[in-house]
Amino acid sequence: IVIKFKILMKALIIGDIHGNLPALEKLLFLEKDNYDVIICHGDVVNYAPWSNECVQLLETIKNTILLKGNHEINYLKNSYSGTNIVAKTFFNTCFPEFKEFDTIKKYKEEYLIGNFIVKHTLNNNYIYPDTDLSTFNIKNNYIIGHSHYVFNRYVNDYNIINTGSLGQNRVH
């Protein structure tokens, strides 16, 4: 998603790349010179075989803000904490080859741009287009990922945008 903010900055906000280097390279080629900053809301790693290469490529780009997702947290803890058998199997395959721990350790938790907070998810939940958000006490605008579904919702006069997934997009 490319968003223009009133601060006259174009931000390319991406996430859930999941080691999909061809998808990342294609996006960067297509959006070349079309943004002032890249903000990645996490999950650069796991699933596809190019986690190291995705981390390394993002490190070479100027004006890039990198945030931790649950997969970076799992990598830093050296274990997969979820119950999804597919994700666990990929973790067991991809993790032994991963070398960029010092780099992902520096990723931030969230980032404020304009009047939006960018982070991987809210309260560590999968937020879908139809998720009941009435108990979430939403008091900010958010740009998130994690569920891999693209949507834009309004809750309590606040905007919640999910960018979907660059590496494993899903449709609802």
Side-chain angles (χ1 to χ4, degrees), residues 45-64:
V45 302
N46 208 21
Y47 290 107
W50 303 285
S51 292
N52 287 304
E53 292 84 353
C54 288
V55 169
Q56 292 162 355
L57 177 56
L58 289 169
E59 283 292 307
T60 68
I61 301 169
K62 284 192 231 179
N63 298 325
T64 302

Side-chain angles (χ1 to χ4, degrees), residues 4-22:
K4 279 189 178 181
F5 292 97
K6 290 181 182 177
I7 53 177
L8 303 177
M9 176 187 301
K10 284 172 54 173
L12 176 63
I13 303 176
I14 61 174
D16 295 283
I17 299 164
H18 289 298
N20 189 335
L21 184 62

Side-chain angles (χ1 to χ4, degrees), residues 17-51:
I17 299 164
H18 289 298
N20 189 335
L21 184 62
L24 178 59
E25 289 174 331
K26 183 170 184 176
L27 175 77
L28 293 174
F29 174 79
L30 292 173
E31 293 296 332
K32 185 178 180 177
D33 301 324
N34 195 29
Y35 56 84
D36 299 308
V37 63
I38 293 177
I39 304 169
C40 178
H41 56 63
D43 281 2
V44 175
V45 302
N46 208 21
Y47 290 107
W50 303 285
S51 292

